[in-house]
Amino acid sequence: MKLRLPGRRDRTEAAPDPAADPTSQLVKTGGKGRPTPKRHEAQGRRPGPPPPPPQTRKEAYKRMREQQAANRGAARAGAARGDEAYLPARDRGPVRKLVRDVVDARRNAGSFFLLVAGLVLIGNFVPNEQVRSYTVSIWLVFFLLIIADSIVLGRRIKKRVLERFPNQDHRMKGLVWYGISRATMVRRWRFPKPEVPLGAQV
């Protein structure tokens, strides 16, 4: 039997068990909250060293050309998909995008302009007066069809713009001409590329 002096504590009671200490357990389990990455993984995430500076003027010019080509490619891809940051001033804004959608959602007579013009050109070289007269007639009828279709398209553009943006001051002549000029291009050649399918409700 051990005698305990007053004022002294047993060593076994004074030294707390580190395994039972909740603070130490929180420190151990908390930590970074994730395993320490391996050396090759950490080195793989580090950016590589910067490229050495060009040694000659020719090399510097080559790098500049490559950088410019990469920037042009990124800008063209962004403009093709309709990114506002890369579009030219004439194509920017929600109103211009609405006009493009109105044009791209319908079949326009102007999109067949190149096809008909090619046929008319070929017909003029045929050594037959009757064929030439038919060619002139087709060209005249198609020209009148384009005018009528452009009038219908212009009215639709005005209607949609006023419905969607009624409280803005619009330059309708410029918007209508913007839509008609886009309608005269073949659909796959339009830029920015169409974002709505044919027949869509815009």
Side-chain angles (χ1 to χ4, degrees), residues 26 30 52 89-90 116-117 119 140 154 162 170-171 175 179 194 200-201:
L26 289 175
R90 66 184 296 269
V116 177
L119 294 176
L140 179 60
L162 293 177
H170 304 290
R171 297 180 179 178
L175 294 177
Q201 297 295 327

Side-chain angles (χ1 to χ4, degrees), residues 109-110 112-113 116-117 137-147:
F112 299 97
F113 175 81
V116 177
S137 300
I138 292 174
W139 180 248
L140 179 60
V141 171
F142 181 71
F143 186 72
L144 295 176
L145 181 61
I146 287 181
I147 294 176

Side-chain angles (χ1 to χ4, degrees), residues 125-187:
F125 287 100
V126 175
N128 190 321
E129 292 295 333
Q130 189 174 3
V131 174
R132 291 182 181 179
S133 63
Y134 285 153
T135 301
V136 174
S137 300
I138 292 174
W139 180 248
L140 179 60
V141 171
F142 181 71
F143 186 72
L144 295 176
L145 181 61
I146 287 181
I147 294 176
D149 187 69
S150 298
I151 293 173
V152 174
L153 176 61
R155 290 179 178 177
R156 181 171 296 186
I157 289 173
K158 291 179 182 179
K159 182 180 179 180
R160 293 292 184 269
V161 169
L162 293 177
E163 287 177 353
R164 301 285 182 86
F165 307 97
N167 299 323
Q168 297 183 14
D169 185 16
H170 304 290
R171 297 180 179 178
M172 283 299 179
K173 291 183 178 180
L175 294 177
V176 170
W177 179 250
Y178 176 73
I180 292 175
S181 62
R182 182 176 178 86
T184 57
M185 291 185 289
V186 180
R187 181 180 175 85

